[in-house]
Amino acid sequence: MAPKRAAVDTEPGTSGKAPAKPTPKRKKPSPPKAPKCGCRGDCRSSKCGCGKKGEACGDSCKCTGCRNPFKILKEFNIDCVEAAQDKCLMDNIFKIEDLRGRLEQSHELQCCETSVQLKDMFPGVVTCPDDDCGCEWQYSWCSNDFVDEENRPRNHCGICRHCGDYRDAHCERCNKCYFAGLSGFECPCKDRPPKPKGGMGSLGLMLWAMQHFAGDDSDRLSDESEDEGFF
Ligand SMILES: [Zn+2]
Ligand SMILES: [Zn+2]
Ligand SMILES: [Zn+2]
Ligand SMILES: [Zn+2]
Ligand SMILES: [Zn+2]
Ligand SMILES: [Zn+2]
Ligand SMILES: [Zn+2]
């Protein structure tokens, strides 16, 4: 009798449905600190999932002979997260053959002829190490040189993937950088005839020519050009 009573006591009482069901299906809390890329090669490409995020490869990566540049930056104690936000760096660093050599390369800052090594001078804008100076410099990975951030700030175009003159701007119309000057004038492409695109191009060009050289013959010109102009 004893066991039966015990069963009756426990079943409908305290813990009816509770313990087993609502346990979470996901046991992985998605660890934030385990970089992993799907590379089979040496990770020396901006497609590497680790490099893209500015991370050195970890144990779970399957790469072989890894040359992820951020592995080297990490060795040099450089702030990889900040470095990865620099487009100029990201557009260049995967192409540099001898990154260690580049980092140890000496440069002379023009403000007071101080000699610096690149590894101490990025990411971001850095001040001349000379106490009395205070000049601000930024390294351009495109030109392998330091630019005077106060007077001629570095100007890397993320679309053209290149550092241009500090007065350059990117034109959305012709999708190129142009010299915009300090006042920011328009791209000279606005004065150029529209680019020929297939069949419509010749017509567009013709219309443009008509606007600019409109004269007595413009009517006749347009009539002819539609059917016979090019045949
Ligand atoms: Zn990789
Ligand atoms: Zn990796
Ligand atoms: Zn790797
Ligand atoms: Zn200086
Ligand atoms: Zn650049
Ligand atoms: Zn333009
Ligand atoms: Zn551009």
Side-chain angles (χ1 to χ4, degrees):
M1 293 300 278
K4 211 175 184 182
R5 208 184 285 158
V8 173
D9 278 346
T10 46
E11 264 183 21
T14 48
S15 54
K17 315 164 185 176
K21 281 188 179 176
T23 45
K25 283 180 182 175
R26 296 175 199 163
K27 281 186 180 178
K28 298 169 196 168
S30 63
K33 282 187 180 177
K36 190 179 178 181
C37 60
C39 304
R40 296 276 161 182
D42 63 6
C43 298
R44 215 169 146 268
S45 132
S46 52
K47 286 175 194 151
C48 168
C50 297
K52 229 188 248 176
K53 287 184 279 176
E55 285 171 341
C57 287
D59 294 335
S60 30
C61 293
K62 297 267 194 293
C63 47
T64 41
C66 181
R67 293 174 73 198
N68 178 344
F70 285 93
K71 196 174 141 193
I72 297 169
L73 296 192
K74 207 176 162 189
E75 279 171 33
F76 279 82
N77 281 320
I78 285 153
D79 184 341
C80 291
V81 177
E82 202 188 330
Q85 282 161 11
D86 181 354
K87 282 205 166 156
C88 183
L89 181 148
M90 291 304 272
D91 282 341
N92 285 281
I93 202 158
F94 296 95
K95 294 181 274 181
I96 298 170
E97 278 298 328
D98 180 16
L99 183 57
R100 276 170 229 272
R102 181 80 88 98
L103 294 170
E104 283 168 345
Q105 193 180 342
S106 292
H107 297 262
E108 199 173 82
L109 296 182
Q110 283 167 19
C111 49
C112 37
E113 290 170 10
T114 317
S115 183
V116 294
Q117 282 186 300
L118 174 58
K119 65 185 173 68
D120 305 317
M121 299 296 284
F122 81 98
V125 177
V126 285
T127 321
C128 169
D130 191 303
D131 290 339
D132 302 324
C133 179
C135 280
E136 292 189 328
W137 296 92
Q138 186 165 204
Y139 181 70
S140 163
W141 293 85
C142 296
S143 61
N144 187 19
D145 204 1
F146 284 92
V147 295
D148 179 344
E149 193 61 22
E150 279 161 88
N151 300 311
R152 280 170 280 133
R154 197 190 73 179
N155 184 11
H156 182 87
C157 176
I159 301 162
C160 302
R161 305 183 131 207
H162 197 79
C163 280
D165 187 277
Y166 69 102
R167 293 155 295 185
D168 282 3
H170 191 87
C171 169
E172 286 181 6
R173 189 162 24 189
C174 64
N175 200 30
K176 278 179 197 158
C177 279
Y178 69 99
F179 180 79
L182 290 172
S183 49
F185 47 75
E186 273 189 79
C187 176
C189 76
K190 73 177 179 4
D191 297 326
R192 269 180 240 136
K195 262 191 179 175
K197 278 184 200 168
M200 284 303 288
S202 52
L203 186 68
L205 205 133
M206 196 66 77
L207 289 168
W208 176 84
M210 278 158 56
Q211 280 168 19
H212 283 253
F213 310 110
D216 300 335
D217 293 338
S218 60
D219 281 342
R220 202 166 39 136
L221 196 102
S222 70
D223 284 338
E224 282 174 7
S225 69
E226 281 193 15
D227 289 319
E228 294 174 5
F230 291 89
F231 296 106

